[in-house]
Amino acid sequence: MSNEENALKVFLSKYKHRDYTSKEVTSLIQVYRGLTYRLEAFVFNNGARKDLLNLEGTIPVNYKGAYYNIPVCIWLMDTHPQNAPLCFVKPTTDMSIKVSKFVDSNGKVYLPYLHEWKPNGSTLQNLVQCMITAFGELPPVYSKPRNEVRAPYPTGPFMPQPSGYPYVQLPGPPNQTPYPTPSPYPATSNLPYPNFGTPYPGPANMNGTPYPPNFAPATSYGPSPDVAGGTITEEHIKASLLSAVEDKLRRRLKEQSQQSQAELETLRRTQQELREGKTRLEDILGRLQRERTDLDKNVATLQEKEKELQSAVERLGGQEGIDVDEAVVTTAPLYSQLLNAFAEEATLEDAIYYMGEALRKEVIDLDTFLKQVRTLARRQFTLRALMHKCRQKAQLAC
């Protein structure tokens, strides 16, 4: 294990998944060598401080065919990969943040990949690739306007001086040094990633829309005696101003178009969410309506049953008392004999049971118990034989 890996393991000593995080960081910096890591204190919104691993540096972004080094920093949580990292754009002193749907005014990066972060499937390399793709669509930084602007032609109190637009390069007199074309960016980058071109997207217009350095070619005009003599005519100034205004209007229209497209997409998503919410509410209302109908039916049924019970209670309350012996009346003498025998046999069975309870509690002695049980059992046998014979005569099941 190299010293660098040992140092990384020391930085990740408080991480829950140290080996996995170390392996992923090592793999990332081998692919994107513009990134380096360090252990720094991160302050959360609630004021809490925690030492976290910070991946800081540049990533190459392809914007309109040219590569730019975008400075970023990626903070890894101590629970990585259970929780998504925190990504920020970290502009240098000569850059400004361009707010978009991917980056806010503080430089924090918002990506669908971060929102849908999966502990078992998301990786840092895929995250950086998503950042490169998103920044290639909407660059997150642009260069600040330069304090010193070189005039493309002599200026006077009567001649306006356009700033930050393409202009015409005209030849001067033989003994006059021509005005050099200003270079919008340094030729080399001091960032750790190899120089893929200019280090970040180029100068911004008045509304802050990022554009790479894309100067329009100088318009050539036919030679004239005034030009040959080194004099700039009013037509040359007019052509230069028209070109600058045209470029500015084109940029503003493009910015407004992008902003309108973003707002339209947001409105479409909101409309879709509202439609889905409307469908859910309609389903809930339909279900509530059905439940209310069922409850009304149940209440009506209960009220009808309650009326029936009240009527039965009133009818029974108005009747006279019923004699128990006359409650059951048989249709034939044979059935009456069978009913009486069954009732007497049931009483004898109860009497034998209570005789056994009296013997158990020593209320009576054994001789009395045996004598009484013998008499009751003989009578019970006679009654059962009588019931059996009555059932046969009545052709009932025995």
Side-chain angles (χ1 to χ4, degrees):
M1 184 179 295
S2 64
N3 295 331
E4 184 177 357
E5 292 179 352
N6 290 330
L8 182 58
K9 289 290 183 66
V10 173
F11 288 163
L12 300 175
S13 59
K14 296 183 179 180
Y15 277 62
K16 294 183 178 180
H17 307 281
R18 184 186 65 173
D19 295 337
Y20 178 85
T21 305
S22 175
K23 181 178 179 181
E24 196 171 11
V25 171
T26 303
S27 175
L28 179 67
I29 62 179
Q30 287 178 354
V31 177
Y32 299 97
R33 300 187 179 277
L35 296 176
T36 58
Y37 61 85
R38 67 180 68 179
L39 189 67
E40 295 181 339
F42 184 84
V43 181
F44 293 87
N45 295 334
N46 57 2
R49 297 173 60 91
K50 184 176 290 187
D51 292 335
L52 301 177
L53 190 70
N54 178 21
L55 292 169
E56 186 177 5
T58 61
I59 57 177
V61 175
N62 186 349
Y63 182 73
K64 291 186 177 181
Y67 281 92
Y68 305 92
N69 291 335
I70 302 299
V72 297
C73 61
I74 304 173
W75 295 87
L76 302 184
M77 299 293 101
D78 55 358
T79 56
H80 183 82
Q82 298 297 325
N83 297 99
L86 298 177
C87 303
F88 295 87
V89 174
K90 192 174 182 181
T92 59
T93 55
D94 55 350
M95 299 183 190
S96 295
I97 294 177
K98 171 58 182 175
V99 179
S100 65
K101 62 181 179 181
F102 299 129
V103 182
D104 62 9
S105 58
N106 296 324
K108 187 174 181 179
V109 178
Y110 298 89
L111 294 174
Y113 192 80
L114 289 172
H115 181 69
E116 301 172 358
W117 181 269
K118 297 179 181 179
N120 297 328
S122 301
T123 62
L124 292 178
Q125 289 191 23
N126 291 340
L127 171 60
V128 174
Q129 188 63 39
C130 290
M131 292 173 63
I132 292 174
T133 303
F135 294 164
E137 178 183 352
L138 293 175
V141 293
Y142 62 90
S143 62
K144 295 180 180 179
R146 296 178 178 274
N147 295 330
E148 179 181 358
V149 180
R150 298 184 178 180
Y153 41 77
T155 59
F158 61 93
M159 188 178 299
Q161 178 182 353
S163 174
Y165 302 97
Y167 45 82
V168 182
Q169 181 69 33
L170 298 176
N175 57 353
Q176 181 180 357
T177 303
Y179 291 93
T181 302
S183 176
Y185 309 103
T188 59
S189 172
N190 56 0
L191 297 175
Y193 201 89
N195 186 20
F196 286 91
T198 53
Y200 46 83
N205 63 0
M206 300 302 293
N207 294 322
T209 303
Y211 289 95
N214 184 19
F215 288 93
T219 306
S220 60
Y221 300 92
S224 65
D226 294 334
V227 174
T231 304
I232 299 176
T233 64
E234 186 176 352
E235 293 181 357
H236 299 152
I237 300 173
K238 182 178 179 180
S240 178
L241 292 177
L242 287 176
S243 176
V245 171
E246 180 183 0
D247 183 68
K248 182 175 181 180
L249 289 177
R250 186 183 299 107
R251 294 181 180 181
R252 285 193 176 182
L253 288 175
K254 185 174 182 180
E255 179 188 6
Q256 291 178 359
S257 176
Q258 293 176 350
Q259 183 177 0
S260 299
Q261 289 292 337
E263 294 177 355
L264 183 59
E265 184 64 24
T266 302
L267 292 176
R268 288 176 179 172
R269 288 197 299 268
T270 304
Q271 183 183 21
Q272 183 65 24
E273 293 174 357
L274 291 175
R275 287 179 178 175
E276 294 176 357
K278 180 182 178 182
T279 303
R280 290 194 298 269
L281 289 176
E282 289 177 350
D283 294 339
I284 294 173
L285 290 176
R287 187 169 63 253
L288 291 176
Q289 188 66 29
R290 291 191 296 270
E291 292 178 356
R292 181 177 179 180
T293 303
D294 295 339
L295 288 176
D296 292 340
K297 292 180 180 179
N298 294 334
V299 170
T301 304
L302 289 175
Q303 291 176 352
E304 293 177 358
K305 297 298 181 181
E306 184 179 6
K307 291 180 181 179
E308 294 178 1
L309 291 175
Q310 291 177 355
S311 300
V313 170
E314 292 175 358
R315 185 174 61 256
L316 293 175
Q319 295 179 357
E320 297 179 357
I322 301 175
D323 188 3
V324 177
D325 295 332
E326 298 178 355
V328 180
V329 179
T330 59
T331 58
L334 182 61
Y335 296 151
S336 178
Q337 188 179 9
L338 179 61
L339 178 62
N340 293 333
F342 178 79
E344 186 177 355
E345 190 273 336
T347 58
L348 290 177
E349 186 176 357
D350 290 343
I352 293 174
Y353 169 77
Y354 284 109
M355 289 293 292
E357 289 294 316
L359 177 64
R360 186 178 64 82
K361 295 180 180 179
E362 298 180 355
V363 176
I364 60 176
D365 56 6
L366 180 60
D367 294 337
T368 303
F369 172 77
L370 293 175
K371 183 179 180 180
Q372 294 296 329
V373 168
R374 188 182 305 113
T375 303
L376 295 175
R378 187 181 296 113
R379 178 59 181 168
Q380 187 180 29
F381 176 78
T382 303
L383 292 173
R384 288 183 177 179
L386 179 61
M387 287 190 295
H388 182 72
K389 190 173 182 180
C390 291
R391 286 179 179 274
Q392 288 179 345
K393 291 292 184 182
Q395 295 182 355
L396 298 175
C398 295

